[in-house]
Amino acid sequence: MNILFVLSQVELTGAETYAVSLVQWLQDKGYKVTMVSDTLNSKIAIPYYSLDLDNRKSLLNRIKHVMSLTRIIRQEKITLLHAHSRASSWVAYFASRITNVPLVTTAHCIYSTRLSRKLMPCFGEKIIAISEAVREHLIRDLGVNDKNIFLIPNGINIDRFSPQTASAKLRKELRIQPGARVVSWVGRFSNKRGKLIEEIVKRVLPEILMVIPNLKILIIAGGEKSDSLKTRVEAINRQFNDEVIRFTGLRHDMPLIYGLSDLVIGAGRVALEAMACSRAVMAIGEKKFIGLLTPQNIEEGISTNFGDCCQMQPVDWKAMSQAIIKVFKKEDQVKELCRWGREIVISKFNLNMVAEKVVAVYDELQKK
């Protein structure tokens, strides 16, 4: 099987990390995989073509993208397409019709329900939904036949993402003193994620910094941060006469970053990676604040992709502040949650198990 992964993003996203982890697994099993995307931030040895698929403003651009993708399919002798975003699925849909190459689409999120999207969904013959909320959305809002949808979650490499201790060298690089406690927010600065971290910096971090001694906050993301976010972080650091909040930029050593962190704030794959590293996770996504992940709310976290895939709900910022403070006042209980979190990832999100389910979808489509 010769597979072409098609993505569309201009910065590192959960869709890219999902795709790259799956590509690595497929390569290890002897599959040939090629990738097309606007950018590729991850380090991976793979044939790669850059197309500005996220640029969808004109029909002419879209037609050019379809023709370019068609040429790549024929040049690389592709036998199966796998799209990982709405923009990439639209282009791949028409390229698959021209070349008669079957298409699988992974739906990573809940889409807007414009009339054009209902009339022309442009998904693959088979669709992978990463969570139950996404699956329900595809059926309810976009009219997708449930027989063509496969519920397969994100897969996490539990060997790479495992409990680790950060080195003294990493602590020195990030200017974190021995004994300091660390909270890490992991995401991106654009769109709703960018607005989310601005609100957290404004409404949550000053309060917890006042209460928790010797605390450092890491904001881990690539790309351009807004001037308002930079200004607010600078003001907080001046208030505490120290760099209590630090921008780290994009990191490729995330298992070590998680190992350095006492608490990780995030959603989607970030939550799963941190849990795999036996870290406490405060789940907050673009749509909802779930809180510290526990056996009582884990199913809600999984079904909504940890707050990303659900109806928008207002955040109780005071409750979030108090929940973070409580983590550092009940450290023995939190340690038990850390061990439990890794067990959840091993049992439900192990990459080997997830990738085998994806390949089963490929095989079913190739038989037709």
Side-chain angles (χ1 to χ4, degrees):
M1 197 181 301
N2 192 352
I3 308 163
L4 178 62
F5 274 39
V6 192
L7 294 89
S8 61
Q9 76 279 314
V10 295
E11 59 189 334
L12 184 63
T13 64
E16 180 180 316
T17 52
Y18 166 96
V20 167
S21 65
L22 187 53
V23 166
Q24 291 171 326
W25 188 93
L26 290 166
Q27 287 181 318
D28 289 344
K29 298 298 182 182
Y31 294 89
K32 181 183 177 184
V33 188
T34 302
M35 185 176 288
V36 168
S37 180
D38 295 60
T39 59
L40 182 59
N41 296 278
S42 305
K43 297 177 180 179
I44 181 171
I46 184 175
Y48 166 68
Y49 294 85
S50 178
L51 286 179
D52 60 337
L53 298 181
D54 193 56
N55 183 358
R56 296 168 283 169
K57 293 184 179 180
S58 76
L59 180 60
L60 180 59
N61 272 346
R62 294 192 179 200
I63 294 172
K64 288 179 178 178
H65 294 154
V66 171
M67 300 315 297
S68 295
L69 193 61
T70 298
R71 286 194 295 271
I72 294 168
I73 292 168
R74 288 170 174 162
Q75 180 178 320
E76 296 289 343
K77 297 180 173 57
I78 299 300
T79 59
L80 186 136
L81 295 166
H82 189 165
H84 293 270
S85 69
R86 171 62 186 170
S88 65
S89 188
W90 194 96
V91 174
Y93 175 85
F94 289 101
S96 74
R97 295 305 182 268
I98 293 170
T99 59
N100 199 32
V101 172
L103 169 65
V104 175
T105 299
T106 291
H108 292 268
C109 62
I110 291 178
Y111 305 102
S112 61
T113 53
R114 298 190 297 269
L115 179 60
S116 60
R117 189 160 291 171
K118 293 180 179 180
L119 294 175
M120 191 177 290
C122 295
F123 292 121
E125 293 94 321
K126 304 296 180 184
I127 305 174
I128 295 171
I130 62 149
S131 73
E132 182 59 38
V134 171
R135 178 184 177 277
E136 291 176 358
H137 157 69
L138 293 171
I139 297 169
R140 180 185 63 245
D141 301 325
L142 297 178
V144 178
N145 188 330
D146 63 345
K147 294 180 180 178
N148 294 328
I149 303 175
F150 298 80
L151 181 58
I152 305 176
N154 276 292
I156 303 299
N157 185 333
I158 58 173
D159 294 323
R160 179 171 183 245
F161 292 96
S162 60
Q164 301 183 37
T165 302
S167 65
K169 180 180 178 182
L170 180 60
R171 283 185 169 271
K172 183 178 180 181
E173 176 195 340
L174 297 176
R175 301 174 193 169
I176 297 173
Q177 298 297 319
R181 292 181 282 187
V182 179
V183 173
S184 294
W185 179 85
V186 187
R188 57 183 181 272
F189 293 125
S190 63
N191 302 324
K192 293 178 181 178
R193 279 285 198 277
K195 293 177 182 178
L196 180 60
I197 185 56
E198 289 203 34
E199 291 296 312
I200 291 173
V201 169
K202 176 182 177 181
R203 300 174 182 271
V204 175
L205 298 191
E207 184 170 346
I208 67 173
L209 284 163
M210 291 291 293
V211 176
I212 304 170
N214 202 16
L215 181 66
K216 297 290 184 180
I217 312 291
L218 301 180
I219 297 177
I220 301 155
E224 288 296 320
K225 58 190 82 68
S226 69
D227 290 338
S228 59
L229 178 59
K230 289 188 286 187
T231 298
R232 192 172 294 278
V233 167
E234 289 167 359
I236 294 172
N237 286 341
R238 284 197 302 273
Q239 176 186 347
F240 288 90
N241 197 31
D242 189 10
E243 191 183 36
V244 290
I245 304 176
R246 179 176 176 81
F247 296 110
T248 71
L250 184 65
R251 304 287 303 198
H252 294 287
D253 57 348
M254 287 309 300
L256 289 176
I257 294 291
Y258 293 135
L260 179 69
S261 307
D262 296 283
L263 176 68
V264 176
I265 303 174
R269 284 187 63 88
V270 169
L272 293 172
E273 290 172 357
M275 289 170 68
C277 292
S278 290
R279 297 293 88 192
V281 175
M282 191 68 59
I284 180 169
E286 296 178 357
K287 302 290 184 66
K288 184 177 183 180
F289 170 60
I290 292 176
L292 181 68
L293 292 177
T294 68
Q296 287 69 47
N297 63 12
I298 187 61
E299 290 305 322
E300 179 185 19
I302 292 171
S303 68
T304 64
N305 202 25
F306 303 98
D308 272 348
C309 301
C310 54
Q311 294 296 316
M312 179 67 76
Q313 299 185 26
V315 176
D316 184 338
W317 299 107
K318 184 71 174 179
M320 183 176 179
S321 301
Q322 292 303 312
I324 293 174
I325 291 168
K326 191 177 294 184
V327 167
F328 291 93
K329 292 187 175 182
K330 296 187 176 182
E331 294 183 354
D332 287 341
Q333 295 178 25
V334 171
K335 286 179 181 178
E336 287 300 318
L337 286 178
C338 292
R339 287 189 282 269
W340 160 82
R342 178 163 171 81
E343 291 171 0
I344 289 292
V345 176
I346 290 172
S347 64
K348 295 179 179 290
F349 301 93
N350 186 328
L351 178 61
N352 289 325
M353 175 182 68
V354 167
E356 287 173 357
K357 291 180 180 179
V358 172
V359 169
V361 175
Y362 293 168
D363 290 341
E364 182 174 332
L365 192 53
Q366 291 268 284
K367 290 176 184 176
K368 290 191 173 184

